[in-house]
Amino acid sequence: LSPAPTDRQNSKSLSLWAGGQAAMESPTSAASRVDFYGFLDRMRRPEAADLFRSIKSFLASLSLDEPSAEADGARVQAFFAEMEAAIRGHPLWADATHQEIDHALEGLEKYIMTKLFDRTFAASPEDAAADAEVSDKIGLLQRFVRPHHLDIPKVLNNEASWLIAVKELQKINSFKSPWEKLLCMMSCCQVINNLLLNVSMTNDRTPSGADEFLPILIYITIKANPPQLHSNLKFVQLFRRETKLVSEVEYYLTNLISAKMFIINVNGHSLSMEESEFQKHMESAKLGTQMSVASPSSSQGLATSTSGLQKQIDAEGSRFPFMDSETENLTQAELKQLHGLYRKTVTRYTLLSKALRKLSIDEDQLLASVDDS
């Protein structure tokens, strides 16, 4: 066991660490800041030396073993339960309300899990592979999945609300504590829930619960492509205090896990289309992704819009010398040259069309997927 720290060591250690955390704070975590700094304030007091010693001892003992997400999760949960009992019976919290004790436990969770973050979050090759699989699949689905593929009624199409939900979900990697990550997930889900309630009241329609909630959440997840979705969900499941994963929180978390599983297992039937059509969409999306990566201007997006194409044509004027010419102004020699270019273009187009057909790729779908990217 680690030796008991002196009061000064205890206070200095917590102050230095808290200063580092303050630089990472965000408005989203305003509620947790109250919990966290209240916890640190009490832990700086001399009477908290025994609690501080227990925390240091736990962290030291965990570091002696090889990381294992499930095993670490079980040990962390057991330590949280042990510390909850210790805090409830501690003189520092003798007259504390239930809410104040809950705040202390939130602060404890954030302190412990920030210390253990590098060990417990996306720490295995399997987690990294799972994150890449989900992200890559979403990247393909983004190119062709639209609300009607998920049977989302037009009355619920609200780009403004969806954008807010997307932004909330994309914040998830800005935080290191399970609670703050969960807050991002909950904020996203609450935006969707509020949209459903508002539409129900405005249009005098009965809310249909998960039947409409989950499809919108799936669509939002596809639009957001949140970073390391698999690892974030696993992290919250394993290291968020078990007593807090109940009620509304449990419902939202379960739905987001369901959204992830839907994306992993998606097929034609899932998106209300024939499997052959789904596979063509996926192949087109893969080809579009490869074209994006191969393009020298991929960092700025493909120049596939009309204006972007025009810029490309302007830059390659020597290859397309007659784009801006008037027909009546062309000489006999220029018409002959233009005819030669036409024959070359038709030949290349025919070869490309044959190649796409061999890959079972519909060229119209391919162009649509690239144009939407």
Side-chain angles (χ1 to χ4, degrees):
L1 295 178
S2 303
T6 64
D7 296 343
R8 181 173 296 178
Q9 288 172 332
N10 184 343
S11 179
K12 182 178 180 181
S13 175
L14 288 168
S15 296
L16 288 173
W17 186 80
Q21 293 302 301
M24 296 163 39
E25 289 290 352
S26 160
T28 303
S29 59
S32 66
R33 277 204 303 271
V34 177
D35 306 341
F36 180 58
Y37 288 111
F39 167 75
L40 290 184
D41 182 59
R42 294 203 191 210
M43 290 299 292
R44 290 190 185 101
R45 300 179 190 179
E47 305 97 298
D50 57 331
L51 296 177
F52 188 79
R53 183 167 57 248
S54 296
I55 293 171
K56 297 289 284 184
S57 176
F58 171 73
L59 293 173
S61 67
L62 200 64
S63 68
L64 298 176
D65 298 324
E66 286 295 317
S68 169
E70 284 71 21
D72 287 351
R75 291 177 68 177
V76 167
Q77 293 293 345
F79 181 69
F80 286 158
E82 176 188 323
M83 286 297 293
E84 179 174 358
I87 287 174
R88 288 186 183 279
H90 199 278
L92 275 176
W93 282 272
D95 300 317
T97 63
H98 174 77
Q99 185 179 43
E100 288 172 331
I101 290 176
D102 190 60
H103 286 177
L105 296 173
E106 296 289 9
L108 172 69
E109 180 187 285
K110 179 171 180 176
Y111 181 83
I112 292 291
M113 293 317 304
T114 305
K115 288 287 190 179
L116 295 175
F117 187 76
D118 291 340
R119 175 190 174 98
T120 56
F121 181 79
S124 72
E126 293 78 13
D127 287 335
D131 284 327
E133 179 190 0
V134 175
S135 181
D136 291 347
K137 178 68 76 67
I138 291 177
L140 298 177
L141 296 175
Q142 283 180 332
R143 290 180 172 269
F144 67 91
V145 172
R146 299 295 178 263
H148 68 269
H149 291 128
L150 297 165
D151 298 323
I152 299 174
K154 287 186 177 181
V155 71
L156 296 177
N157 288 13
N158 188 315
E159 289 292 341
S161 292
W162 289 354
L163 180 59
I164 295 171
V166 164
K167 294 299 182 184
E168 289 298 324
L169 201 53
Q170 288 174 336
K171 293 176 184 176
I172 198 167
N173 260 18
S174 301
F175 306 102
K176 290 187 174 182
S177 79
W179 173 225
E180 288 173 317
K181 288 180 177 294
L182 190 56
L183 277 177
C184 297
M185 301 176 194
M186 288 184 63
S187 295
C188 167
C189 291
Q190 285 166 347
V191 170
I192 298 171
N193 197 48
N194 289 339
L195 169 63
L196 292 173
L197 291 174
N198 289 336
V199 170
S200 296
M201 291 187 292
T202 303
N203 296 274
D204 193 26
R205 59 196 300 271
T206 303
S208 56
D211 290 342
E212 290 182 340
F213 178 86
L214 183 57
I216 296 177
L217 180 59
I218 292 169
Y219 188 64
I220 294 300
T221 304
I222 291 172
K223 287 176 71 71
N225 199 356
Q228 298 174 288
L229 179 60
H230 163 80
S231 289
N232 275 295
L233 289 169
K234 181 178 178 180
F235 184 71
V236 170
Q237 284 178 284
L238 289 176
F239 299 105
R240 175 60 176 155
R241 284 188 294 143
E242 291 175 341
T243 55
K244 289 296 183 178
L245 292 178
V246 295
S247 188
E248 183 183 40
V249 175
E250 182 183 26
Y251 174 76
Y252 288 153
L253 180 61
T254 300
N255 272 275
L256 192 52
I257 293 169
S258 297
K260 185 200 79 169
M261 295 309 299
F262 177 95
I263 289 166
I264 290 174
N265 300 313
V266 68
N267 55 32
H269 178 73
S270 309
L271 299 176
S272 304
M273 65 176 69
E274 294 295 327
E275 185 62 24
S276 58
E277 183 185 358
F278 172 74
Q279 292 300 333
K280 286 182 179 180
H281 276 303
M282 291 295 283
E283 289 301 323
S284 297
K286 288 175 185 176
L287 191 54
T289 300
Q290 292 168 0
M291 291 171 64
S292 296
V293 173
S295 171
S297 59
S298 58
S299 61
Q300 299 176 353
L302 285 172
T304 55
S305 65
T306 303
S307 60
L309 181 59
Q310 186 61 53
K311 290 178 182 177
Q312 187 176 355
I313 291 170
D314 292 342
E316 299 181 355
S318 59
R319 291 179 59 193
F320 308 107
F322 305 114
M323 283 299 296
D324 297 320
S325 301
E326 298 293 337
T327 306
E328 59 271 17
N329 295 331
L330 294 176
T331 66
Q332 194 68 27
E334 288 173 335
L335 286 171
K336 186 175 181 180
Q337 183 183 357
L338 180 59
H339 184 252
L341 289 172
Y342 168 77
R343 293 178 64 181
K344 186 183 294 185
T345 300
V346 170
T347 300
R348 295 186 68 181
Y349 169 76
T350 303
L351 290 172
L352 284 170
S353 293
K354 287 181 179 178
L356 290 173
R357 282 197 295 274
K358 283 185 177 181
L359 292 171
S360 298
I361 297 174
D362 184 277
E363 57 190 89
D364 292 332
Q365 292 178 352
L366 173 62
L367 291 171
S369 70
V370 174
D371 191 49
D372 288 340
S373 62

